[in-house]
C-alpha cells in the first residue's frame, strides 16, 4: 500500500490526521519527561527510605552491649542494603559532592551530636550474565557511642545501588520542552493547513480571472477530494460558459450579418417612395437598424478575434487614435505592451467617440507605474447618473434612452471596449468628473498579453 493511499483523501480525514499526529507527538514528549521525573523520584525515595531505617536503627544498636552490636547490625541488613559495625568508617572524610553533602546534612540533623558521613559511589554491577553496568550506591558511616577506653565503633551501611537513570528534569527545563513541543505541533499544523489551503488560493485566483472575462482560466485538480471536486466543477463550468459565449457570439454575428441584406433591399425601396417625409423617416430608421447590425457584427467578432499579439507602443497608438478624431492627447510616459493593435485601437476609439459624442471636447492622458499603464479619457459632457455608470457597459445600454443616431450608436461601444480590455488582462471604469463630464480609466498590465 503506497503512502498516497495511506494519506486521507478528504479534508475532514486530513484534519483528523493532523490532530492525531500532533496529539501523539505532544503526549509522547510529555510521557518521556514524566518517565525521567518518575525515575529520579524513585531513586530519591529509595535512598530516603534507607536513611530513615538507619537512623531508626542507631539508637537501638547504641543501647545494646558492644559485643552484640555486630549481630544486631547483621539482622538489620536487607536485600537492598548491608549494615555492619566496624572499627573504621566506610566513608572517608572530604566528600564534597553536592548530593553527598546534602545527605550528610540530613543525617546530622536526624542524629545530632554524632559524627556522620555519607557519600554516593559508582560501583560495578556484578549481577546477571550481561555486561557490567555502573550502579549508584549509597554509603553511610555513623560513629557509635562507646566507653572512654573502648575502641571506636562505626555503623556502616552500603546499598546495592540502583542503575542510574537519566538525570532528573528541572521544572524550567520541563516547561521549556513543553513550549518547544507546542511550537513543533503548531509548526506541523501550519504546514498541513498551508498544503490544504493552497488549492483554495488557486481556485480563488481562477475565479477572479473568470470574473474579469478570462474563459481560459483553469484550476489544477489536485489536493483533497473536496478540492479536486470543486476544481473539476469550476473547470467544467468554465468550459460550458466558454462554449455558451462562443455560441452567443456566433448567433449575434449571424443575426447582424443576415440583417444587412434585407435592410439594403428595404433602403432601395424606401428611396423610391415619392412622399419625401415618409421617405426620410424610413431611411432614418433603416440607418439606425444598420448601425445596430454593424455593432452586432463587431461585438461578436471581438469575442473570438484571431488577431495576433505583438509588442506595440501604447503612446503612439493612443496618439494616432486621438489625432484621427480631433481629440487632445497627453503622453506622460513611454509604455510598451504586448497586445492586439487593431483591437486596442478600436477600444480606445470607442471611448474617444463616446467622449466626443456627449461632450464638446475629449482629452486622453497616458501615465504608467512599474506594473501597469493607465489611460484616462475625459469629456466635458453632462455626465451619467452614478447608479447607471456600471450598467453602461452592458450591451445596448446608452446614456441617451433614445435610439437617435445623432446622440449615440447602438449602445455596444463600451461593451466592445470592455471585452477588448478584459482580454488583455486589464480593467475599465467610468466615473463622473468633479467639474462635469465623464472620465473613463483603462488600466493595462505592462509587458503581458492575454
Amino acid at each position: 500500500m503506497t503512502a498516497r493511499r495511506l494519506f486521507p483523501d478528504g479534508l475532514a480525514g486530513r484534519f483528523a490526521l493532523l490532530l492525531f499526529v500532533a496529539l501523539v507527538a505532544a503526549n509522547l514528549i510529555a510521557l518521556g519527561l514524566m518517565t525521567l521525573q518518575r525515575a529520579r523520584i524513585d531513586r530519591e525515595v529509595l535512598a530516603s527510605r534507607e536513611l530513615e531505617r538507619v537512623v531508626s536503627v542507631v539508637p537501638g544498636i547504641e543501647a545494646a552491649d558492644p559485643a552484640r552490636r555486630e549481630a544486631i547490625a547483621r539482622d538489620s541488613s536487607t536485600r537492598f542494603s548491608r549494615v555492619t559495625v566496624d572499627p573504621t568508617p566506610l566513608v572517608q572524610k572530604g566528600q564534597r559532592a553536592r548530593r553527598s553533602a546534602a545527605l550528610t546534612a540530613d543525617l546530622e540533623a536526624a542524629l545530632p551530636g554524632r559524627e556522620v558521613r555519607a557519600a554516593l559511589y559508582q560501583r560495578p554491577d556484578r549481577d546477571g550474565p550481561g555486561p557490567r553496568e555502573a550502579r549508584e550506591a549509597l554509603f553511610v558511616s555513623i560513629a557509635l557511642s562507646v566507653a572512654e577506653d573502648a575502641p571506636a565503633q562505626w555503623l556502616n551501611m552500603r546499598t546495592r545501588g540502583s542503575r542510574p537513570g537519566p538525570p532528573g528534569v528541572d521544572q524550567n527545563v520541563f516547561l521549556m520542552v513543553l513550549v518547544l513541543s507546542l511550537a513543533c505541533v503548531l509548526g506541523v499544523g501550519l504546514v498541513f493547513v498551508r498544503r490544504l489551503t493552497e488549492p483554495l488560493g488557486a481556485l480563488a485566483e481562477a475565479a477572479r480571472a473568470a470574473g474579469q472575462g478570462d474563459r481560459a482560466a483553469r484550476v489544477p485538480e489536485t489536493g483533497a477530494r473536496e478540492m479536486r471536486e470543486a476544481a473539476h466543477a469550476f473547470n467544467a463550468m468554465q468550459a460550458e460558459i466558454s462554449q455558451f459565449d462562443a455560441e452567443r457570439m456566433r448567433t449575434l454575428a449571424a443575426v447582424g450579418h443576415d440583417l444587412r441584406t434585407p435592410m439594403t433591399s428595404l433602403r432601395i425601396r424606401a428611396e423610391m417612395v415619392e412622399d419625401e417625409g415618409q421617405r426620410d423617416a424610413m431611411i432614418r430608421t433603416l440607418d439606425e437598424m444598420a448601425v445596430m447590425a454593424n455593432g452586432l457584427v463587431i461585438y461578436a467578432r471581438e469575442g473570438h478575434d484571431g488577431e495576433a499579439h505583438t509588442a506595440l507602443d501604447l503612446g503612439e497608438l493612443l496618439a494616432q487614435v486621438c489625432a484621427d478624431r480631433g481629440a487632445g492627447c497627453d503622453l506622460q510616459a513611454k509604455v510598451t505592451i504586448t497586445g492586439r493593435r487593431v483591437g486596442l485601437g478600436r477600444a480606445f476609439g470607442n471611448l474617444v467617440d463616446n467622449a466626443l459624442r456627449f461632450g464638446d471636447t475629449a482629452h486622453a492622458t497616458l501615465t504608467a507605474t512599474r506594473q501597469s499603464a493607465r489611460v484616462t479619457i475625459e469629456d466635458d459632457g453632462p455626465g451619467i447618473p452614478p447608479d447607471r455608470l456600471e450598467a453602461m457597459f452592458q450591451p445596448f445600454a446608452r446614456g441617451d434612452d433614445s435610439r437617435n443616431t445623432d446622440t449615440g450608436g447602438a449602445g455596444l461601444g463600451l461593451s466592445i471596449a470592455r471585452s477588448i480590455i478584459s482580454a488583455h488582462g486589464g480593467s475599465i471604469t467610468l466615473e463622473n468628473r468633479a467639474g462635469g463630464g465623464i472620465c473613463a480609466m483603462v488600466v493595462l498590465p505592462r509587458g503581458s498579453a492575454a
Side-chain angles (χ1 to χ4, degrees):
M1 186 176 282
T2 62
R4 185 178 181 85
R5 293 183 61 186
L6 291 175
F7 200 68
D9 192 43
L11 280 175
R14 296 189 179 190
F15 275 115
L17 177 62
L18 165 64
L19 292 176
F20 175 78
V21 172
L23 290 175
V24 168
N27 280 281
L28 286 177
I29 294 174
L31 179 61
L33 293 174
M34 290 178 62
T35 301
L36 295 178
Q37 194 75 357
R38 178 181 176 182
R40 183 181 67 85
I41 293 174
D42 288 345
R43 293 194 304 271
E44 292 179 354
V45 168
L46 179 61
S48 176
R49 186 172 62 243
E50 294 298 328
L51 290 177
E52 290 176 358
R53 194 171 61 83
V54 169
V55 168
S56 63
V57 166
V58 168
I61 291 179
E62 288 182 334
D65 184 74
R68 298 187 60 241
R69 290 180 177 179
E70 177 64 27
I72 296 174
R74 285 197 305 269
D75 293 339
S76 301
S77 299
T78 66
R79 65 189 190 94
F80 296 107
S81 62
R82 179 185 175 190
V83 182
T84 60
V85 174
D86 303 303
T88 58
L90 186 63
V91 181
Q92 304 300 319
K93 287 185 178 181
Q95 297 296 327
R96 301 297 182 184
R98 182 177 61 84
R99 292 178 62 193
S100 299
L103 290 173
T104 301
D106 291 341
L107 287 172
E108 289 176 345
L111 298 170
R114 295 178 177 81
E115 183 179 357
V116 178
R117 303 175 188 177
L120 293 169
Y121 293 102
Q122 300 295 324
R123 56 184 297 184
D125 182 10
R126 295 182 175 83
D127 298 336
R132 296 182 179 181
E133 297 181 2
R135 285 176 174 266
E136 189 178 65
L138 172 62
F139 286 25
V140 176
S141 296
I142 303 173
L144 299 175
S145 59
V146 294
E148 293 183 1
D149 56 347
Q153 287 186 332
W154 290 81
L155 178 67
N156 292 320
M157 182 192 74
R158 57 178 67 81
T159 65
R160 294 180 56 189
S162 58
R163 290 186 177 89
V169 180
D170 185 77
Q171 183 178 6
N172 294 331
V173 177
F174 183 80
L175 293 176
M176 183 180 68
V177 173
L178 284 182
V179 171
L180 290 176
S181 67
L182 178 60
C184 292
V185 170
L186 290 177
V188 173
L190 290 176
V191 171
F192 270 79
V193 170
R194 184 175 180 180
R195 291 191 60 183
L196 290 175
T197 55
E198 278 181 354
L200 285 175
L203 179 60
E205 186 66 25
R208 191 177 299 111
Q212 295 175 352
D214 184 4
R215 299 304 171 208
R218 296 294 186 271
V219 184
E221 298 181 13
T222 59
R225 182 184 66 255
E226 292 86 352
M227 294 308 308
R228 294 198 306 271
E229 291 175 354
H232 180 75
F234 176 84
N235 293 337
M237 178 192 69
Q238 279 284 83
E240 291 179 3
I241 294 177
S242 179
Q243 183 179 1
F244 172 78
D245 283 347
E247 291 292 339
R248 180 170 61 92
M249 293 302 177
R250 281 194 291 268
T251 301
L252 290 175
V255 170
H257 183 271
D258 292 345
L259 284 175
R260 289 175 174 179
T261 300
M263 283 190 299
T264 302
S265 177
L266 286 173
R267 183 181 179 88
I268 294 174
R269 294 185 181 185
E271 291 178 349
M272 297 174 63
V273 175
E274 295 182 358
D275 188 328
E276 183 177 353
Q278 290 187 359
R279 183 177 64 244
D280 292 343
M282 293 174 64
I283 291 176
R284 189 163 48 249
T285 301
L286 289 172
D287 286 341
E288 294 177 4
M289 293 177 64
V291 170
M292 295 178 64
N294 291 332
L296 285 174
V297 174
I298 295 173
Y299 181 66
R301 185 186 302 125
E302 288 303 327
H304 52 276
D305 200 317
E307 181 188 358
H309 295 272
T310 59
L312 57 93
D313 187 331
L314 188 60
E316 178 186 350
L317 174 63
L318 185 62
Q320 180 181 347
V321 169
C322 292
D324 291 343
R325 291 162 174 80
C329 185
D330 181 15
L331 305 179
Q332 300 182 7
K334 182 175 179 60
V335 183
T336 300
I337 67 171
T338 305
R340 296 172 7 216
R341 184 180 186 85
V342 175
L344 286 174
R346 183 177 293 117
F348 291 132
N350 288 350
L351 295 175
V352 174
D353 289 341
N354 275 357
L356 291 173
R357 184 176 294 118
F358 294 101
D360 295 331
T361 62
H363 187 84
T365 304
L366 171 63
T367 58
T369 64
R370 295 184 60 182
Q371 292 80 24
S372 62
R374 296 175 181 268
V375 176
T376 58
I377 299 175
E378 300 175 333
D379 64 56
D380 56 356
I384 299 174
D387 58 342
R388 294 191 60 188
L389 287 174
E390 184 62 25
M392 297 306 298
F393 291 103
Q394 299 299 322
F396 305 109
R398 288 162 39 97
D400 183 0
D401 292 334
S402 72
R403 289 295 173 185
N404 188 351
T405 57
D406 293 335
T407 61
L412 292 171
L414 288 177
S415 297
I416 294 172
R418 170 169 277 189
S419 176
I420 296 172
I421 298 301
S422 296
H424 284 76
S427 63
I428 178 172
T429 56
L430 295 178
E431 61 181 20
N432 286 301
R433 297 175 58 201
I438 291 294
C439 175
M441 177 178 291
V442 176
V443 179
L444 290 169
R446 300 188 65 171
S448 63

